[in-house]
Amino acid sequence: GNSVTQMEGPVTLSEEAFLTINCTYTATGYPSLFWYVQYPGEGLQLLLKATKADDKGSNKGFEATYRKETTSFHLEKGSVQVSDSAVYFCAPSPPQYTGTASKLTFGTGTRLQVTL
Amino acid sequence: DAGVTQSPTHLIKTRGQQVTLRCSPKSGHDTVSWYQQALGQGPQFIFQYYEEEERQRGNFPDRFSGHQFPNYSSELNVNALLLGDSALYLCASTVVPETEAFFGQGTRLTVV
C-alpha cells in the first residue's frame, strides 16, 4: 500500500519567513497527491492537490510540485503568517482507476507554529 | 452548500459500551470514508462505504462496523469500547470518480 514520510515537527518560524515542509511517498501506479491542513480543534481541510507528474498545486500562497522522479511533494510558502499555524498532512491517494479514490494514507503530520 | 456534517461533536463513553457516530456527506457525494485520528497522529483509514456496501477496509477489528443509508449518510459503530478507542473520528466524502475528499469537523470520542 501507499506510505508517506514527512519531516518531523514542530517547525517554528517567525512571521514572513520561508516555509518548506518535506514529503516523500511510496505508491503504486499514479496517485494523486494532496496537502491537507488541520487547524486546532478542527477537521482536515484540503489545502492543495496535484493529479499528475510535474503538476503544481497552489492555494493561499502555498505551493507544491508533484515530482514523480523523486516521489516527493514538498510544501512551500514564501512568507508565512501567524494564521498558518496548524498541522499539515501530505497524502497520496490510490489512482482513480482502482475505484478507491478516497482512501487516503496520511503520515503523522508536521506541526507548524508561526510567531510574531 | 452544506459540507460534511458529523454528530455528535463530542462524546464520553465508558469502557465496554457501544457508540454510534453519524455522518452526512457533502451534497452530491455518494462515497463515505471513516478515519480514526489518535492524539498527535495522522488519520488512519477505517473503512469506506459506497452504494450501501463496505467497499474497502483498513486494519481495524470487527468491533468497528458501519452502515450507509440510501441518502448516502453513514454511521460508524464501535462495540466493546476500549480506552484506546479514544480519538477524533473523521468522516470524509467523495463522489466517484473524483479524488478530492471533503472532511467533516470530526467527533471527539473519549472512553473512560
Side-chain angles (χ1 to χ4, degrees):
Chain A
N2 294 349
S3 67
V4 174
T5 301
Q6 285 185 235
M7 64 187 293
E8 291 287 328
V11 173
T12 303
L13 295 173
S14 298
E15 200 170 47
E16 299 184 0
F18 184 85
L19 168 71
T20 300
I21 299 178
N22 291 336
C23 169
T24 57
Y25 67 91
T26 58
T28 55
Y30 304 97
S32 294
L33 299 175
F34 302 92
W35 276 101
Y36 280 86
V37 59
Q38 187 173 34
Y39 297 101
E42 298 187 9
L44 274 69
Q45 300 175 27
L46 178 67
L47 180 60
L48 54 83
K49 67 179 181 181
T51 57
K52 61 183 187 296
D54 300 325
D55 267 4
K56 177 185 284 189
S58 62
N59 185 31
K60 300 180 181 180
F62 290 89
E63 293 183 339
T65 301
Y66 189 160
R67 301 289 189 197
K68 188 166 177 61
E69 64 277 9
T70 55
T71 63
S72 65
F73 193 52
H74 305 322
L75 182 68
E76 298 182 335
K77 186 176 185 182
S79 176
V80 294
Q81 306 299 312
V82 171
S83 57
D84 294 327
S85 298
V87 181
Y88 292 81
F89 293 95
C90 175
S93 75
Q96 287 180 260
Y97 58 76
T98 66
T100 56
S102 58
K103 181 189 176 187
L104 296 167
T105 301
F106 291 95
T108 55
T110 301
R111 180 174 300 277
L112 170 66
Q113 184 168 357
V114 181
T115 60
L116 290 171
Chain B
D1 174 29
V4 179
T5 58
Q6 292 186 242
S7 63
T9 54
H10 295 84
L11 202 52
I12 299 175
K13 289 287 189 178
T14 303
R15 271 183 304 174
Q17 285 188 315
Q18 180 264 346
V19 69
T20 297
L21 311 181
R22 296 177 175 82
C23 172
S24 293
K26 180 178 171 61
S27 177
H29 285 194
D30 58 7
T31 303
V32 173
S33 300
W34 287 92
Y35 293 80
Q36 180 194 65
Q37 186 179 19
L39 196 62
Q41 301 297 313
Q44 300 295 310
F45 177 79
I46 302 174
F47 44 52
Q48 181 183 85
Y49 276 84
Y50 174 68
E51 293 187 339
E52 302 181 46
E53 292 190 355
E54 183 181 294
R55 186 163 68 173
Q56 195 162 7
R57 189 179 184 93
N59 188 26
F60 279 80
D62 291 345
R63 298 187 297 109
F64 290 77
S65 63
H67 188 76
Q68 185 179 35
F69 299 93
N71 66 354
Y72 308 120
S73 66
S74 177
E75 289 182 348
L76 164 65
N77 300 293
V78 187
N79 294 322
L81 284 166
L82 305 174
L83 295 179
D85 295 331
S86 296
L88 180 67
Y89 288 85
L90 296 165
C91 170
S93 73
T94 52
V95 56
V96 178
E98 296 299 320
T99 60
E100 180 176 337
F102 288 80
F103 283 81
Q105 295 291 84
T107 294
R108 172 73 63 188
L109 172 65
T110 302
V111 182
V112 296

